[in-house]
Amino acid sequence: MLDDQVALDLVFHALADPTRRAIVERLTRGPASVGELAAPMPMSLAAVMQHIRVLEESRLLHTEKLGRVRTCTIAPEALVRAEAWLGERRILWNRRLDRLGALLDEDEKHGTENEGTSS
Amino acid sequence: MLDDQVALDLVFHALADPTRRAIVERLTRGPASVGELAAPMPMSLAAVMQHIRVLEESRLLHTEKLGRVRTCTIAPEALVRAEAWLGERRILWNRRLDRLGALLDEDEKHGTENEGTSS
DNA sequence: CAATTACTAAAGTACTTGCTTGACTATTAC
DNA sequence: GTAATAGTCAAGCAAGTACTTTAGTAATTG
């Protein structure tokens, strides 16, 4: 529960940068080396490496070095976790709206005037 | 497309903080005033106000002031947008894995040995 | 072997965050 | 009107971020 919070911190923070999202987008099309990921980016390879480290620490991807090239692969679990958190919020919010709507319908039938949001 | 990127930057950055996620979680149960949101937090009301501003700028919530109390309400569109981005990545990744799996099955039938990741 | 390639490590820097405190402004209550 | 409430503004600060450059190391190639 507590580590869960930290994990979400890391994932959302990792995704809050366009370069890092671009890396994730690239990797959904298949694994790539650090060099391949850096090539289209308007910054130094060292900078891209730092982004990769952030993504790895957030568990959005994992890497493996073979010879002199490090290959990066997406690791979907972290992505799924973030999606689950968002989905949960959406569901709870919609459920609440439904309840509110139902209450309003009830009130309409009985001709009452107050909203009835249980504080 | 370009503003889209900025919007995602803002939403993910806003969600990368546990205090702000707690605010969003609270608001999924219904609107609340700044004071109500600040009460359970281990920081000054001014600090909570700043978090609320970040959330508002990311369009995760909207606020309205009536008399001397400002009421905050969740605004689900931004949340849905972030969820959509994540969902898209997951779908593309799974589709790729399916294709890869199908190729491996094919290869097995034909008794070939190479993987066939189109570089 | 020497040169190239593919990364890695470290230090420096401009900018941004997440707070704080203190002073201030409107409402509302007594 | 005076006092309490609910929020706002702004300055300041410690820590963190997103880069850079420079100087490496370990694999591969010719």
Side-chain angles (χ1 to χ4, degrees):
Chain A
M1 274 275 176
L2 230 115
D3 287 349
D4 236 29
Q5 286 296 319
V6 176
L8 281 175
D9 284 8
L10 292 176
V11 176
F12 283 128
H13 170 246
L15 293 175
D17 181 283
T19 302
R20 287 194 293 261
R21 282 201 307 280
I23 291 175
V24 170
E25 286 183 5
R26 166 63 187 79
L27 291 181
T28 45
R29 288 192 255 296
S33 70
V34 174
E36 281 168 351
L37 290 172
M41 305 290 184
M43 68 188 70
S44 69
L45 194 144
V48 173
M49 261 306 295
Q50 286 170 45
H51 283 302
I52 288 171
R53 191 162 301 125
V54 169
L55 286 165
E56 195 169 14
E57 275 164 11
S58 78
R59 302 189 177 283
L60 276 162
L61 59 82
H62 80 101
T63 76
E64 197 180 1
K65 195 159 185 179
L66 248 146
R68 67 184 167 181
V69 19
R70 177 175 298 278
T71 303
C72 305
T73 315
I74 212 171
E77 307 101 78
L79 218 127
V80 167
R81 234 194 243 252
E83 198 186 357
W85 187 90
L86 291 170
E88 212 172 307
R89 294 317 124 211
R90 182 174 41 72
I91 286 167
L92 288 173
W93 178 251
N94 286 336
R95 190 173 296 163
R96 190 185 156 275
L97 287 189
D98 287 353
R99 267 204 309 275
L100 211 63
L103 274 173
L104 287 175
D105 286 356
E106 277 299 301
D107 287 2
E108 217 165 75
K109 271 186 227 151
H110 302 338
T112 53
E113 291 277 329
N114 292 326
E115 224 208 34
T117 308
S118 61
S119 63
Chain B
M1 276 276 177
L2 228 116
D3 287 350
D4 237 32
Q5 286 296 320
V6 176
L8 282 175
D9 284 9
L10 292 175
V11 177
F12 282 129
H13 170 246
L15 293 174
D17 181 283
T19 302
R20 288 196 290 263
R21 280 200 309 279
I23 291 175
V24 170
E25 285 182 6
R26 167 63 188 79
L27 291 181
T28 46
R29 288 191 257 293
S33 70
V34 175
E36 281 168 350
L37 290 173
M41 304 291 182
M43 68 188 71
S44 70
L45 193 145
V48 173
M49 263 305 297
Q50 287 170 42
H51 282 303
I52 289 172
R53 191 162 303 124
V54 170
L55 285 165
E56 195 169 14
E57 275 163 12
S58 79
R59 301 188 179 284
L60 276 162
L61 57 82
H62 80 102
T63 76
E64 197 179 2
K65 194 160 185 179
L66 248 146
R68 66 181 166 182
V69 22
R70 177 175 297 278
T71 304
C72 305
T73 316
I74 211 171
E77 307 102 78
L79 220 126
V80 167
R81 234 193 244 253
E83 199 188 355
W85 187 88
L86 291 170
E88 212 172 307
R89 295 316 123 211
R90 182 174 40 73
I91 286 166
L92 288 174
W93 178 251
N94 286 335
R95 190 173 297 162
R96 190 185 156 275
L97 286 189
D98 288 353
R99 266 205 309 277
L100 211 63
L103 274 174
L104 287 176
D105 287 357
E106 275 301 300
D107 287 1
E108 217 166 76
K109 272 188 225 149
H110 302 337
T112 52
E113 294 276 329
N114 291 326
E115 224 207 33
T117 308
S118 63
S119 64

